[in-house]
Amino acid sequence: MPKGPFASSVGCGRAEPEWASLNLVKETVGIDSIEEKGEKSEAPLDLPTDVKSGNLETAPKKVDLLIVGAGLSGAVIAERASKEQGLTSLVIDVRDHIGGNCYDYVDEHGIRTSKYGAHLFHTKFERVWEYVQQFSRWIPFDHRVKGQVPDKDGVKRLVPIPPTQETVNTLFGETVASEEEMQAWYDAERAANGEEAALSRVGPRLYERIFKHYTKKQWDKYPAELDASVLMRLPCRTTTDDRYFGDQWQALPLHGYTRIFENMLLHDPNITLRLGVDYFKERAAGTLPDYGMLGMPKLEYRSIRFEEVWVPEPEEGYFQEAMVVNYPSADVPYTRIVEYKHVPNQPEAVKNGEVKGTLIAREYSSAEGDPYYPVPNPENRALYERYRALAEAEDHVCFVGRLASYKYFNMDQAILNALEIYDNYKEQGKFAPKRRPEEFGPGDGPK
C-alpha cells in the first residue's frame, strides 16, 4: 500500500516537473467571499430552513427567471443575470443540496468526498478560468489515473492511463525511451487493424487490455456499438506525460466545489433558492410563480451506482496508490475505485495525518438511476434531434446543460455554454445557445 497521497517531487496532486510546468495555475488563486467573512468550517454551510423546506409559499410570487436545477448551468445564469442585469430568479432543485453533480461534502470521518463521483476542473477557456476565480480559491492539481491492467503474462500491473511509455514498457516488456520510439510502437501495432477507432489509435493489445472491456462495463455496449467519437476522444501519449488532461488551467477548489455554488447563490438578494422541490409536481399543482423564462432538462443517460466503503486502518494510511484507479478488465464488475483522501484540498486534519482511515468509492455503471452520460450512437442522436426541434419551438423556455443538450459537457464547457446563453440575452433579449452542443468539442466522458 502507498505511504502517502499520490504525489511527485512537485507536491501532492502534482505531475512530475516537466509536465506540471505546463499547468498555468502556479499557486493558490481566486476569491472566496465566505472565507473572507470569517467562515472556518470545511463542510458545506448549513442552509436556512426556508431554502431546505421544499415549500414555495415563502418564495416570490413573480420572478424574471424560473431556473430548474441548482447545478453549474442554472447557477451561472442566475448569477450573471443578477449581477449584470439585476434580474430576479427562483432556482429550484428536487435534490436536497446545491451544486448538482458537483456537490461535495465532508463526511463523518472528516474526509472531503463527492456525492456523484470525482470531479476534476480543467479548461482551455480563459474566460471560464477568470470567471470561476470569483467564487473560490483554487490550488493547482494535475489529475493522473492508474489502471490495474494484465500484462503479457496475465499478471495485473498498475500502469498510467492514458497509455504512456511506462504503460507499454510495463505491460509488454518493451524498452521504449523516446517519443519517436513510442510513435513507432503505435504505428507497428496499428498496422494490425485500422478500421475501428480504438484499434486505429492504440492497436489490438492495448485495446484489448484497457479499452474494450472498460467500454462494455461503462456503456453496456462494445466499442463497435458506439460512435467512433467515444473512443477517439481517448488520449494516447508518445511521451512520459501521465496527466489525464492537457488543458492550460487545471485546479481544485480549495474548500470544495460546493463552496463555489454557495458564493454564487446564497448571498444575492435577487436569487431565491428552494431545494426539495419537484418541478413537475409544482407545475401540476399550479404553485409555480409567474416567470418570464424557464429551463428544464430531461433525456436518457447512463447512470452510476456508488458503493462507498470506509477502510478504518489501511496499511500506511491509504487504500491505493492514486486517487483514481481504473479496472478495465472484464473480471472486475466495477469500472474504477476513487480514494478521495489523496486530493490536496482535503481538510487540514486529513493532510496532517489525523484521520487514520480512508473512504473509497467503487463505481458501477448502470442503466438505472440519476442520468450522467449520454449514450452516443446513431439511434439516440436521431431521437435527440426530434427533442431539439420540439425545444426550439417552445416560447419563453431555454433548455440548458448536459441533459438538455444530450452532450457530455465538461465543467468548463457547461460554464462556457451558460455564459454564452446569458450573452445572447444581453445582446438579443433572449436566452438561447450561441452554438450547437457538438461545436464545443468532445467532453471527457467517464474517466
Side-chain angles (χ1 to χ4, degrees):
M1 290 298 104
K3 295 184 178 180
F6 194 26
S8 72
S9 59
V10 178
C12 178
R14 302 306 312 276
E16 294 300 334
E18 179 181 2
W19 310 114
S21 66
L22 301 180
N23 188 345
L24 297 184
V25 186
K26 305 299 184 184
E27 58 187 1
T28 302
V29 296
I31 300 170
D32 185 338
S33 298
I34 291 174
E35 183 182 52
E36 290 182 350
K37 292 175 182 176
E39 178 60 52
K40 302 297 184 184
S41 174
E42 291 281 357
L45 300 180
D46 187 17
L47 300 176
T49 301
D50 58 348
V51 170
K52 299 184 292 184
S53 68
N55 187 350
L56 293 182
E57 291 183 1
T58 58
K61 303 305 178 187
K62 182 176 177 59
V63 291
D64 296 310
L65 306 176
L66 174 60
I67 297 176
V68 182
L72 283 172
S73 299
V76 169
I77 289 177
E79 187 277 332
R80 286 291 84 192
S82 171
K83 290 295 191 300
E84 293 195 356
Q85 303 291 325
L87 297 181
T88 58
S89 298
L90 172 61
V91 180
I92 63 175
D93 201 303
V94 71
R95 290 170 169 170
D96 63 357
H97 59 76
I98 59 177
N101 284 4
C102 294
Y103 175 72
D104 56 7
Y105 62 99
V106 177
D107 74 0
E108 67 270 26
H109 305 287
I111 291 180
R112 193 185 313 284
T113 184
S114 296
K115 186 175 180 67
Y116 305 99
H119 280 68
L120 300 315
F121 182 85
H122 57 100
T123 186
K124 63 182 179 181
F125 303 114
E126 186 171 7
R127 181 186 184 186
V128 172
W129 177 234
E130 294 298 325
Y131 179 73
V132 299
Q133 289 180 79
Q134 300 176 60
F135 310 107
S136 173
R137 295 173 69 199
W138 295 82
I139 57 176
F141 180 74
D142 307 306
H143 182 50
R144 296 182 292 164
V145 175
K146 299 285 190 179
Q148 288 281 0
V149 182
D151 65 13
K152 58 185 176 61
D153 299 316
V155 178
K156 287 188 178 177
R157 308 287 295 275
L158 194 68
V159 295
I161 295 178
T164 66
Q165 294 175 18
E166 179 185 341
T167 308
V168 169
N169 292 340
T170 301
L171 295 182
F172 306 118
E174 302 286 355
T175 56
V176 173
S178 69
E179 290 190 54
E180 293 74 18
E181 290 178 5
M182 186 68 175
Q183 187 62 57
W185 187 90
Y186 276 136
D187 291 342
E189 289 286 307
R190 290 167 180 156
N193 188 326
E195 295 181 358
E196 294 211 31
L199 287 168
S200 69
R201 288 173 67 78
V202 300
R205 291 194 290 172
L206 280 177
Y207 167 75
E208 180 72 27
R209 285 168 171 78
I210 294 178
F211 299 114
K212 179 180 178 180
H213 302 292
Y214 191 89
T215 301
K216 173 63 174 175
K217 287 195 287 186
Q218 185 68 49
W219 303 102
D220 195 28
K221 290 177 174 25
Y222 284 110
E225 302 173 82
L226 294 167
D227 282 355
S229 61
V230 176
L231 277 299
M232 290 301 290
R233 73 180 178 218
L234 298 170
C236 301
R237 305 277 159 72
T238 57
T239 66
T240 59
D241 183 3
D242 62 348
R243 298 174 305 149
Y244 201 91
F245 310 116
D247 290 331
Q248 293 96 315
W249 295 279
Q250 304 185 39
L252 287 177
L254 181 61
H255 297 298
Y257 288 100
T258 303
R259 177 62 62 85
I260 299 171
F261 297 89
E262 292 170 343
N263 276 312
M264 294 176 79
L265 300 175
L266 294 187
H267 303 294
D268 188 325
N270 288 328
I271 300 174
T272 301
L273 179 66
R274 292 292 181 269
L275 303 176
V277 176
D278 187 316
Y279 165 80
F280 297 101
K281 291 181 180 178
E282 299 296 337
R283 183 179 67 172
T287 54
L288 293 173
D290 292 332
Y291 57 87
M293 301 226 21
L294 170 70
M296 182 188 63
K298 183 70 175 176
L299 256 176
E300 177 188 6
Y301 273 47
R302 289 287 288 175
S303 187
I304 300 175
R305 177 171 64 86
F306 299 96
E307 180 183 80
E308 293 188 347
V309 178
W310 174 251
V311 184
E313 295 183 2
E315 184 179 346
E316 304 290 354
Y318 289 82
F319 177 82
Q320 61 189 23
E321 290 81 354
M323 175 193 178
V324 176
V325 174
N326 288 2
Y327 289 81
S329 55
D331 61 333
V332 178
Y334 41 85
T335 57
R336 67 179 186 174
I337 294 178
V338 178
E339 184 178 13
Y340 293 102
K341 195 175 180 181
H342 283 279
V343 296
N345 68 341
Q346 285 293 343
E348 288 300 318
V350 176
K351 291 190 282 189
N352 293 337
E354 299 169 27
V355 178
K356 303 305 179 184
T358 188
L359 180 72
I360 64 169
R362 298 187 183 100
E363 297 185 7
Y364 300 80
S365 183
S366 171
E368 299 178 351
D370 287 347
Y372 279 71
Y373 306 112
V375 180
N377 59 28
E379 293 78 16
N380 286 329
R381 199 172 301 280
L383 178 61
Y384 169 68
E385 290 301 327
R386 293 169 60 189
Y387 276 110
R388 191 208 296 265
L390 290 174
E392 291 176 349
E394 290 283 338
D395 290 328
H396 305 299
V397 178
C398 181
F399 295 88
V400 187
R402 289 182 180 181
L403 306 188
S405 303
Y406 205 63
K407 165 82 168 67
Y408 185 89
F409 281 128
N410 297 337
M411 285 185 286
D412 65 321
Q413 293 170 331
I415 292 169
L416 182 61
N417 183 46
L419 288 171
E420 290 185 347
I421 286 173
Y422 171 72
D423 289 344
N424 249 348
Y425 172 79
K426 287 198 300 182
E427 297 162 4
Q428 303 182 30
K430 180 180 180 181
F431 286 96
K434 278 184 172 288
R435 45 180 153 174
R436 292 170 66 94
E438 56 268 26
E439 292 174 12
F440 285 90
D444 304 318
K447 293 173 279 295

